């Protein structure tokens, strides 16, 4: 059904369906990876995809690499709404005349699309938060609900937890479709390549490597992960050496590195931003996701699952819909480093359970979280709207 060749641009005016994505991301995060995957799998003879990005976004070369046309717009970078951006976006939308405007956050884009009047409007909610009590009550609930309902024809929630966030603030449940994120499978490397990759990070063949691939921001829970690493270093599980690979960069990076150094936490490697994240997953024995905010459907967890990598994950947000406790990993209470350390220790010490989790991780990925499944469900929504 999907060619996803990503070799040549598809003529915008020659397709049955024209989809224009609008993103506010200047870096490559979960929303950007989701939009990239959709573009790669849907861009073809029957569906042309283009994208509007902030100026100098790191996503631009990634979209261009797969043959997707990119237009830059001012005043939309890293902000959902800026009234000064609306007029420019409106001109672009009218000039391109898409059938579908698909926004990822980007409220400015939703307002412009609604003012344009012709396109059907899809909004994807990529994140999950603890909804403040004031936003669940009059008048804020009614105001937020009005914005979501008026400035969308359909809303994609990438997790049931994201759907619950939306309905809690007055969003019409009839507008919401839960479409879980999907990810392309990570290609497995040879044993020799795996050994070389491990040596490159300073890991031995017998080290038990726990990786965390996420932007370094407080809500991703890296402090909890470092505290768990310290606890495991003090009491190693069954004599095994547990090492931690933290892949990602962000505003918390300096503070996290300082914490690891000040507390002399051994076996922690900060890899920074890793463009080829597949190498990280190929040397990973166990993924860790310690998020206590924003997490909906972690693309990193899905990529690891495609290789059969189980995970220990916090019970926040969408994690329990991806990691089924005792099946393809273990869940632990968010912000609890001792519970995280105990979960990692449990996986280390039980090889039979680990092997079952590996099998289940691959199976659950294939059954529920492939890129093709996400693209097919999204295309079906587009067609229903039209």
């Amino acid at each position: 059904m999907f060619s996803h060749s990503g070799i040549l641009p598809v003529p915008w005016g020659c397709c049955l369906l024209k989809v224009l994505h609008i993103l506010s991301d200047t870096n490559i995060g979960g929303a950007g990876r989701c939009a990239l995957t959709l573009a790669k799998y849907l861009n073809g003879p029957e569906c042309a995809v283009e994208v509007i990005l902030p100026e100098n976004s790191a996503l631009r070369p990634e979209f261009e690499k797969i043959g997707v046309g990119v237009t830059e717009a001012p005043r939309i970078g890293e902000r959902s709404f800026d009234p000064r951006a609306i007029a420019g976006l409106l001109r672009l939308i009218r000039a391109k005349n898409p059938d579908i405007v698909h926004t990822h956050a980007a409220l400015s884009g939703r307002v412009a699309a609604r003012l344009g009047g012709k396109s059907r409007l899809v909004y994807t909610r990529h994140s999950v938060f603890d909804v403040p009590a004031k936003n669940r009550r009059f008048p804020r609930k009614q105001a937020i609900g009005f914005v979501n309902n008026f400035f969308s024809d359909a809303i994609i929630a990438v997790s049931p937890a994201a759907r619950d966030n939306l309905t809690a603030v007055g969003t019409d449940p009839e507008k919401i479709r839960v479409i879980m994120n999907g990810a392309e499978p990570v290609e497995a490397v040879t044993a020799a390549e795996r050994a070389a990759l491990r040596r490159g990070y300073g890991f031995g063949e017998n080290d038990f490597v726990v990786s965390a691939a996420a932007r370094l921001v407080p809500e991703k829970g890296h402090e909890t992960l470092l505290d768990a690493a310290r606890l495991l270093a003090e009491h190693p599980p069954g004599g095994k050496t547990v090492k931690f690979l933290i892949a990602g960069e962000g505003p918390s990076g300096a503070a996290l590195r300082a914490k690891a150094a000040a507390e002399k936490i051994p076996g922690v490697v900060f890899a920074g931003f890793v463009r080829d994240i597949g190498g990280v997953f190929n040397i990973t024995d166990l993924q860790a996701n310690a998020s206590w905010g924003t997490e909906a459907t972690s693309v990193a967890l899905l990529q690891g699952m495609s290789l059969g990598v189980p995970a220990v994950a916090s019970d926040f947000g969408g994690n329990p819909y991806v990691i089924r406790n005792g099946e393809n990993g273990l869940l632990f209470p968010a912000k609890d480093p001792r519970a995280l350390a105990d979960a990692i220790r449990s996986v280390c010490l039980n090889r039979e359970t680990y092997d079952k989790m590996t099998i289940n991780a691959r199976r659950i990925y294939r059954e529920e979280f492939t890129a093709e499944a996400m693209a097919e469900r999204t295309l079906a929504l587009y067609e229903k709207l039209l």
Side-chain angles (χ1 to χ4, degrees):
M1 184 176 181
F2 303 110
S3 63
H4 56 84
S5 61
I7 297 174
L8 294 173
V10 178
W12 179 254
C14 301
C15 290
L16 298 177
L17 177 64
K18 296 182 291 184
V19 181
L20 180 65
H21 289 267
I22 304 178
L23 294 98
S24 58
D25 297 26
T26 56
N27 295 304
I28 303 176
R33 293 190 188 281
C34 172
L36 278 164
T37 301
L38 283 175
K40 184 175 181 179
Y41 278 73
L42 293 181
N43 199 33
E46 296 184 357
C47 179
V49 177
E50 290 197 9
V51 63
I52 295 175
L53 295 174
E55 296 168 318
N56 303 313
S57 173
L59 285 165
R60 176 165 193 154
E62 301 301 317
F63 277 106
E64 291 176 337
K65 193 185 304 180
I66 60 173
V68 172
V70 176
T71 303
E72 292 186 343
R75 301 189 179 95
I76 66 170
E78 301 301 331
R79 62 189 73 168
S80 178
F81 183 70
D82 186 333
R84 298 172 299 173
I86 294 172
L89 289 169
L90 178 57
R91 284 192 294 270
L92 288 173
I93 291 169
R94 284 177 169 167
K96 294 180 179 296
N97 192 30
D99 300 298
I100 300 284
V101 172
H102 189 157
T103 69
H104 305 264
L107 177 56
S108 300
R110 281 184 270 161
V111 173
R114 183 58 81 218
L115 292 173
K118 295 183 179 180
S119 308
R120 303 295 281 171
L121 180 53
V122 177
Y123 154 50
T124 291
R125 175 65 176 267
H126 290 279
S127 57
V128 176
F129 297 93
D130 290 324
V131 180
K134 63 183 179 181
N135 289 351
R136 298 172 180 266
R137 299 193 297 262
F138 178 85
R140 293 178 69 94
K141 177 177 179 178
Q142 284 69 23
I144 297 170
F146 171 80
V147 169
N148 286 337
N149 294 329
F150 184 78
F151 293 109
S152 64
D153 295 305
I155 300 172
I156 295 174
V158 301
S159 167
R163 175 201 60 206
D164 295 344
N165 262 193
L166 289 162
T167 56
V169 293
T171 307
D172 181 0
E174 294 299 317
K175 282 184 176 281
I176 303 170
R177 177 76 58 86
V178 175
I179 301 178
M180 304 283 276
N181 283 343
E184 291 188 285
V186 175
E187 185 177 348
V189 301
T190 65
E193 290 169 331
R194 181 176 183 272
L197 284 166
R198 281 193 162 225
R199 287 195 301 271
Y201 285 110
F203 300 141
E205 191 57 32
N206 294 322
D207 290 339
F208 190 88
V209 177
V210 179
S211 75
R215 193 157 182 257
L216 303 187
V217 291
E219 59 269 21
K220 293 296 183 180
H222 291 93
E223 283 202 20
T224 300
L225 184 64
L226 290 179
D227 289 338
R230 176 174 44 75
L231 292 170
L232 286 164
E234 293 170 356
H235 302 285
K240 290 187 178 181
T241 302
V242 181
K243 301 287 185 70
F244 290 81
L245 178 57
I246 298 177
E249 202 49 87
S252 296
L256 291 169
R257 289 177 173 91
K259 174 182 174 67
E263 298 181 17
K264 296 182 172 60
I265 304 173
V268 177
V269 175
F270 288 91
F273 177 74
V274 179
R275 185 165 295 278
D276 181 15
I277 198 67
V280 169
F281 296 126
N282 268 282
I283 65 172
T284 296
D285 296 298
L286 181 69
Q287 275 204 85
N289 180 310
S291 291
W292 49 264
T294 77
E295 206 68 70
T297 302
S298 166
V299 174
L301 289 179
L302 307 184
Q303 291 173 310
M305 285 167 57
S306 75
L307 279 176
V309 180
V312 289
S314 68
D315 59 1
F316 179 85
N319 281 345
Y321 299 97
V322 177
I323 302 302
R324 289 81 189 267
N325 195 43
E327 190 172 357
N328 61 336
L330 295 176
L331 297 173
F332 68 94
K335 298 184 179 182
D336 187 339
R338 189 166 297 279
L340 172 54
D342 288 344
I344 295 171
R345 183 177 288 108
S346 173
V347 174
C348 279
L349 294 176
N350 194 327
R351 184 71 203 191
E352 183 179 353
T353 298
Y354 179 87
D355 290 342
K356 288 180 180 178
M357 288 179 176
T358 293
I359 294 169
N360 288 331
R362 288 196 180 97
R363 174 184 58 79
I364 292 170
Y365 166 78
R366 289 194 302 265
E367 291 176 353
E368 301 181 39
F369 296 112
T370 63
E372 290 92 344
M374 177 180 67
E376 185 172 340
R377 292 162 186 160
T378 304
L379 180 60
L381 177 61
Y382 292 162
E383 293 172 340
K384 181 179 180 180
L385 286 174
L386 295 174

